[in-house]
Amino acid sequence: MTIQRIKRHFDFIEMRQTPTKAFTKSFVLQIRPNDKGATRVGFTVSKKISKKAVIRNHLRRQMREIVRLSKKLPELYPAHDLILIAREEALNRSYKELSADFYYLLTHVKDVSNEENFKKNSR
């Protein structure tokens, strides 16, 4: 399975309504199933993080590389859309810490993506 990129603005807007989210110090991960049959990933680094485009682009490149190197992503989430949103703390963390945060999200958002189990466990 390959990983495709989400590039269209409309796809990002649609993901705002997704109830499945997971958080770390560096990232917010939104996830939902899609009907495309492929795993698609989008990246967001807002101007709240930094006004300088060079810094935002550097962080975005790091995020893309972390996803590119993740072997488990297509296995864990086949036919899903994922949006990886950087938080301000991501600027102060090393590449190793960023990748550790991402792998933590991958393993822990799986519990939340099954909403029935999530509702049962939260009672």
Side-chain angles (χ1 to χ4, degrees):
M1 277 257 53
T2 61
I3 299 174
Q4 298 175 358
R5 292 256 320 268
I6 297 175
K7 295 181 182 177
R8 293 180 352 149
H9 181 69
F10 180 74
D11 292 334
F12 282 94
I13 298 298
E14 277 187 332
M15 288 294 286
R16 284 188 186 165
Q17 288 96 22
T18 186
T20 307
K21 297 178 184 176
F23 304 89
T24 63
K25 290 182 180 180
S26 304
F27 302 118
V28 175
L29 182 67
Q30 298 176 334
I31 184 168
R32 72 174 192 174
N34 68 26
D35 56 355
K36 309 276 192 261
T39 303
R40 301 186 322 154
V41 182
F43 305 95
T44 302
V45 182
S46 73
K47 284 188 180 178
K48 289 180 187 177
I49 302 293
S50 174
K51 299 290 183 198
K52 297 181 179 181
V54 172
I55 294 171
R56 293 193 313 269
N57 290 336
H58 176 71
L59 185 54
R60 196 173 295 115
R61 283 192 303 271
Q62 287 180 323
M63 292 163 60
R64 278 197 307 256
E65 185 66 11
I66 290 168
V67 169
R68 186 184 72 82
L69 293 175
S70 70
K71 305 278 189 239
K72 293 184 179 184
L73 182 62
E75 297 168 11
L76 289 173
Y77 301 104
H80 279 76
D81 287 344
L82 292 89
I83 301 289
L84 190 61
I85 303 168
R87 298 176 98 180
E88 197 168 347
E89 183 65 30
L91 292 176
N92 304 327
R93 299 174 70 87
S94 68
Y95 178 80
K96 234 180 211 183
E97 292 170 323
L98 292 175
S99 62
D101 279 353
F102 178 71
Y103 289 115
Y104 176 83
L105 286 174
L106 285 185
T107 57
H108 287 79
V109 79
K110 191 66 172 178
D111 302 333
V112 179
S113 66
N114 189 351
E115 293 176 22
E116 286 183 20
N117 288 340
F118 180 69
K119 288 177 184 175
K120 287 178 188 175
N121 292 335
S122 63
R123 291 181 188 170

